[in-house]
Amino acid sequence: MFKGKSIRSLTKVMRVAGDATKVRLTVDLKNISKEVLVQLGFNEKINIGDYLIPAVIGKYTRFNANGDIKIRKDLPMEPESVMYYGSSRDWHGGIHYGTRTMDKYPRENIPAPSETFEIVRIGEKLFLSSSELNLLDVDETRNIHITNLMLECFSQFDIYNVDKKEIIGPRIKRLQWDILPTGECPWNKAKTIIIDRIKHLEDKDKKVIEHRMETISRQEPDFLATGRAGFSGYFVYGFKDRGVYILESMELDNATYVFNSEWEAISQLTKSQIINSDLPHQRIIHNKSWRLSINRAISGNLL
């Protein structure tokens, strides 16, 4: 759910929307009190298809309903006749009205956007919805205005993906991997990290793991991802230009797995899913031909 008081740009909205381009901003009706609905202009009895220009409750709804007047101080003043009301009375006892001329800056009328709210059904629920937004629109003004309308009235909203016909869910960030930035994983950089991860092993086992990791690192991977939590002890070497990703473990008996799938897809899986998935992969046993097989895999000749 997107929350806030107002926005000046669409950056945060775009981040939440992800790859969605056609969206509606929606609020579940059960989260809106009847008092607020009536204040906006809806009847107490709500029906699907009801829509209206929301009543004025703040500066964004005021502009939406009434527009605005911009004083053009960048232009020269112009004479303008102004009606005035006089407090003095003539000899008949009548109040004086009249006009007088004064110099004033020109005024520019900005038309009211007149954006509407409507009641829609999504799945089994009723929502109050904005009209449809195109997030690819070169002119962001309308999208920013509608977003601020929703925030002024409700302080929060969900984003509905029109094409997929679903509320956009939260972007879950899995904390299973720490990734070294691109270009920062030569062996002299990776060695420090790997040695720290295997420091609890016996010396003879450390040498074996270090040899394996060095063999892969010497091939200059684009990035190194080190596992954390349930993936502690696992390392992924990414060769993005070659479409090769190598999963290596510091457990002596574990095989090496080589994938040609996207790293983002692999990183979302569990260890069991990685090993048993339908993703194209090759399992390389740690035997005397392991080094040759790894070098072939990195060259793209194995899968």
Side-chain angles (χ1 to χ4, degrees):
M1 182 169 286
F2 189 97
K3 299 181 179 181
K5 293 183 178 179
S6 65
I7 63 166
R8 293 184 179 180
S9 74
L10 287 178
T11 303
K12 292 182 179 179
V13 175
M14 297 286 283
R15 189 179 301 135
V16 175
D19 59 358
T21 56
K22 294 181 180 179
V23 302
R24 286 175 176 267
L25 312 184
T26 64
V27 181
D28 193 328
L29 273 187
K30 71 179 182 181
N31 295 327
I32 307 175
S33 68
K34 286 187 177 181
E35 290 76 14
V36 170
L37 287 172
V38 170
Q39 185 182 17
L40 292 173
F42 286 97
N43 296 325
E44 289 191 16
K45 181 176 175 57
I46 295 296
N47 296 297
I48 297 173
D50 289 351
Y51 75 99
L52 51 70
I53 297 171
V56 175
I57 63 172
K59 68 176 183 178
Y60 295 111
T61 45
R62 179 178 295 107
F63 172 65
N64 186 64
N66 302 327
D68 201 358
I69 296 176
K70 182 179 181 181
I71 301 176
R72 296 296 304 273
K73 291 187 176 182
D74 56 319
L75 299 176
M77 289 185 172
E78 299 175 346
E80 182 178 332
S81 295
V82 179
M83 180 177 285
Y84 70 92
Y85 168 81
S87 59
S88 62
R89 297 175 181 269
D90 59 25
W91 64 283
H92 293 295
I95 301 295
H96 285 282
Y97 295 91
T99 60
R100 61 186 175 192
T101 301
M102 62 175 57
D103 289 335
K104 298 180 67 175
Y105 287 109
R107 264 62 169 169
E108 178 183 332
N109 289 315
I110 302 175
S114 300
E115 295 291 346
T116 60
F117 290 162
E118 58 187 287
I119 306 301
V120 300
R121 180 186 295 277
I122 300 176
E124 299 300 317
K125 296 182 179 181
L126 295 183
F127 289 79
L128 183 146
S129 171
S130 72
S131 51
E132 186 176 305
L133 284 68
N134 181 357
L135 296 181
L136 294 181
D137 195 337
V138 176
D139 182 7
E140 293 185 350
T141 303
R142 175 175 180 265
N143 295 337
I144 292 174
H145 170 65
I146 293 176
T147 301
N148 283 328
L149 269 184
M150 295 292 288
L151 292 176
E152 182 171 274
C153 295
F154 311 110
S155 300
Q156 60 188 26
F157 55 78
D158 289 306
I159 298 179
Y160 175 75
N161 187 327
V162 173
D163 292 327
K164 294 184 178 180
K165 298 182 179 180
E166 63 183 12
I167 298 290
I168 294 172
R171 295 294 189 271
I172 298 174
K173 181 180 180 182
R174 291 180 180 267
L175 302 177
Q176 297 178 157
W177 301 96
D178 293 314
I179 302 176
L180 269 67
T182 300
E184 294 190 12
C185 49
W187 173 238
N188 59 359
K189 179 79 173 182
K191 182 178 180 179
T192 303
I193 297 171
I194 291 168
I195 288 178
D196 182 67
R197 295 293 180 95
I198 64 176
K199 61 186 178 183
H200 64 285
L201 299 177
E202 295 183 12
D203 287 342
K204 60 182 180 65
D205 294 338
K206 287 180 184 178
K207 294 296 183 183
V208 174
I209 300 301
E210 186 175 334
H211 167 71
R212 293 177 184 175
M213 302 299 181
E214 181 178 4
T215 298
I216 302 172
S217 295
R218 293 290 185 191
Q219 296 296 322
E220 299 181 352
D222 297 304
F223 70 82
L224 168 63
T226 61
R228 56 155 73 174
F231 273 86
S232 181
Y234 283 81
F235 302 84
V236 171
Y237 296 84
F239 300 84
K240 294 191 287 186
D241 291 342
R242 308 174 204 179
V244 175
Y245 301 89
I246 296 178
L247 177 68
E248 184 62 84
S249 168
M250 66 182 189
E251 297 295 330
L252 293 181
D253 297 332
N254 284 0
T256 303
Y257 290 84
V258 183
F259 297 84
N260 64 1
S261 301
E262 288 297 324
W263 161 243
E264 285 74 13
I266 298 171
S267 67
Q268 299 300 309
L269 302 177
T270 64
K271 283 183 287 189
S272 177
Q273 288 172 332
I274 289 175
I275 294 171
N276 300 305
S277 72
D278 294 330
L279 295 174
H281 70 275
Q282 177 73 33
R283 184 172 182 267
I284 302 177
I285 302 297
H286 290 103
N287 54 27
K288 61 181 181 180
S289 62
W290 176 84
R291 182 169 187 157
L292 177 61
S293 297
I294 283 295
N295 289 335
R296 285 179 176 175
I298 294 172
S299 300
N301 297 323
L302 189 61
L303 293 179

